[in-house]
Amino acid sequence: MSANVGPSGHQPTATTPQRDAVQDSAFLRACRREPVPHTPVWFMRQAGRSLPEYRKVREGIPMLESCMRPELVTEITLQPVRRHNVDAAIYFSDIVVPLKAIGIALDIKPGVGPVVENPIRTRADLAQLRDLTPEDVGYVTEAIGLLTAELGETPLIGFAGAPFTLASYLVEGGPSRTYENAKAMMYGDPQLWADLLDRLAEITSAFLKVQIEAGASAVQLFDSWAGALAPADYRRSVMPASAKVFEAVAPYGVPRIHFGVGTGELLGLMGEAGADVVGVDWRVPLDEAARRVGPGKALQGNLDPTVLFASREAVETKAREVLDAAAGLEGHIFNLGHGVMPSTNPDALTHLVEYVHTRSAR
Ligand code: CP3
């Protein structure tokens, strides 16, 4: 049975031999902690401003609008796969797309990030968060159908924002360094906070299900800003909602990746939340991360994205350190410790993929 056929029985558009080849890819094998011919590699934010071909097709089209055009999403998602020979594609979208789809007034401001018109601060504000249905995001289903046909044997990763990271934007009204309003709700009105995160868990689960049913063969939950939390607060006030998301998609059998930045103290809990693969930023070496996460999970990471601004020799040295630290792991997917920075030279990324493939060939 293919792991890509979900509980609803909906069949993705790809043919059976193609689905088998995807399942046998280095990326999915590493997620399942099976032997691999080489360490698979992809990059968070591999599509985007580091690529001149991205800047060209995005010209004059606002970010959120570009996420709603299936042909454009397909082209942008494929660009880094063509250029860098990465082992997986990541669906081009943004974590706030499902919130926009249910009618939240928000925009993505260039150079700033998501900005929410009416921040959620009271119980009455929760009414803004209705359930997400597949019809709300028909363009996602359509784009993934186009993509899986084009991608051939390359797996497609679907993704969503985790409840805490989404809540940080919704409560603050935009990007924040301190999360003072979100944390004030978490500490001061724990029941409202729990209800908010539970609503977001429902929306995120529905959004991931749409992507898996359309043909995504792995999913990543981005809890980018969870590193702002103490472990006890994460466990009590955030982990239940993220665990609910992982449980909701468990029946599909696709690998579930869980990532955040500055989460060294949370790695064990992020695995416990229900992930199959734990993403690690550059602050914790992978052998130490494996001790913190414990057995039964693959790890993803963790080259510092700023290393790509250094010389080719320095990139190779630092990439080798990551591979060496990962040598004893049950499964390793090479990635950066956070997203590709927009001013990165794309040739450095292409070279890094080649280096990781060659150096790790077994
Ligand atoms: O290739 C890929 O990795 C897929 C693309 C992707 C985007 N957003 C596209 C995007 C992914 C995985 C995201 C997730 C996302 N969005 C996260 C979690 C990942 C992370 O980086 O921690 C977060 C926190 C957001 C919220 C967000 N959206 C921010 C902070 C920004 C940057 C604002 C800016 O202009 O600097 C965005 C906008 C955004 N999302 C861009 C892209 C390519 C830039 C907009 C543009 O190209 O005009």
Side-chain angles (χ1 to χ4, degrees):
M1 195 191 96
S2 163
N4 254 9
V5 180
S8 77
H10 176 85
Q11 294 279 345
T13 47
T15 62
T16 305
Q18 186 188 326
R19 277 207 306 273
D20 291 348
V22 168
Q23 288 305 317
D24 203 37
S25 63
F27 170 72
L28 287 176
R29 292 185 65 89
C31 290
R32 298 191 301 256
R33 293 172 284 118
E34 296 167 5
V36 285
H38 61 262
T39 300
V41 47
W42 70 279
F43 304 117
M44 293 183 277
R45 294 272 175 103
Q46 63 191 16
R49 285 171 291 183
S50 66
L51 301 182
E53 59 269 35
Y54 169 83
R55 297 196 297 267
K56 183 150 183 268
V57 296
R58 272 288 319 282
E59 232 167 78
I61 307 171
M63 176 62 193
L64 278 171
E65 195 190 320
S66 71
C67 296
M68 294 169 192
R69 296 196 189 178
E71 272 92 16
L72 188 56
V73 167
T74 302
E75 167 58 22
I76 293 173
T77 303
L78 291 171
Q79 284 176 348
V81 179
R82 288 189 202 115
R83 187 192 262 263
H84 301 312
N85 192 30
V86 282
D87 292 271
I90 179 158
Y91 182 73
F92 182 78
S93 183
D94 192 82
I95 57 168
V96 296
V97 163
L99 302 178
K100 181 81 181 173
I102 59 166
I104 303 278
L106 62 83
D107 200 4
I108 295 179
K109 297 241 153 62
V112 177
V115 177
V116 178
E117 213 168 285
N118 306 302
I120 293 185
R121 301 276 168 85
T122 66
R123 183 157 292 280
D125 295 332
L126 282 189
Q128 291 187 51
L129 294 170
R130 68 161 172 85
D131 284 338
L132 178 117
T133 70
E135 292 71 38
D136 292 320
V137 286
Y139 47 86
V140 174
T141 301
E142 192 185 335
I144 292 183
L146 296 171
L147 266 169
T148 47
E150 293 273 335
L151 277 166
E153 302 181 359
T154 305
L156 176 69
I157 303 167
F159 77 90
F164 173 75
T165 290
L166 292 177
S168 79
Y169 287 106
L170 285 171
V171 179
E172 298 297 335
S176 171
R177 262 188 236 286
T178 54
Y179 312 102
E180 57 206 55
N181 296 290
K183 284 185 170 185
M185 188 192 291
M186 180 177 86
Y187 295 126
D189 193 345
Q191 193 54 54
L192 175 58
W193 174 257
D195 292 346
L196 168 62
L197 263 68
D198 192 68
R199 287 269 64 231
L200 292 169
E202 296 281 349
I203 293 161
T204 291
S205 301
F207 190 55
L208 289 177
K209 284 180 187 177
V210 167
Q211 296 175 63
I212 298 167
E213 298 217 356
S217 40
V219 288
Q220 177 155 325
L221 192 66
F222 280 95
D223 210 351
S224 301
W225 313 138
L229 298 163
D233 291 325
Y234 178 83
R235 180 190 280 284
R236 186 187 314 113
S237 307
V238 171
M239 193 168 133
S242 294
K244 184 173 179 167
V245 175
F246 285 123
E247 244 168 70
V249 296
Y252 292 92
V254 304
R256 298 159 298 171
I257 310 169
H258 198 183
F259 170 78
V261 184
T263 51
E265 301 301 326
L266 302 179
L267 289 172
L269 294 172
M270 289 181 72
E272 221 183 285
D276 305 296
V277 181
V278 177
V280 184
D281 83 0
W282 62 92
R283 293 171 179 89
V284 182
L286 289 176
D287 47 353
E288 171 58 19
R291 281 188 284 279
R292 296 184 188 187
V293 169
K297 315 267 179 204
L299 297 187
Q300 176 173 282
N302 70 343
L303 187 74
D304 183 339
T306 59
V307 167
L308 290 158
F309 295 92
S311 66
R312 201 162 265 204
E313 294 70 42
V315 173
E316 292 186 1
T317 303
K318 297 301 284 181
R320 193 164 60 242
E321 281 175 23
V322 170
L323 289 171
D324 289 348
L329 262 48
E330 295 183 55
H332 176 220
I333 298 120
F334 193 101
N335 205 315
L336 304 178
H338 197 184
V340 172
M341 296 162 77
S343 51
T344 304
N345 179 349
D347 294 341
L349 290 166
T350 309
H351 178 74
L352 176 58
V353 174
E354 197 185 308
Y355 178 78
V356 170
H357 283 167
T358 309
R359 174 86 196 170
S360 66
R362 346 233 196 253

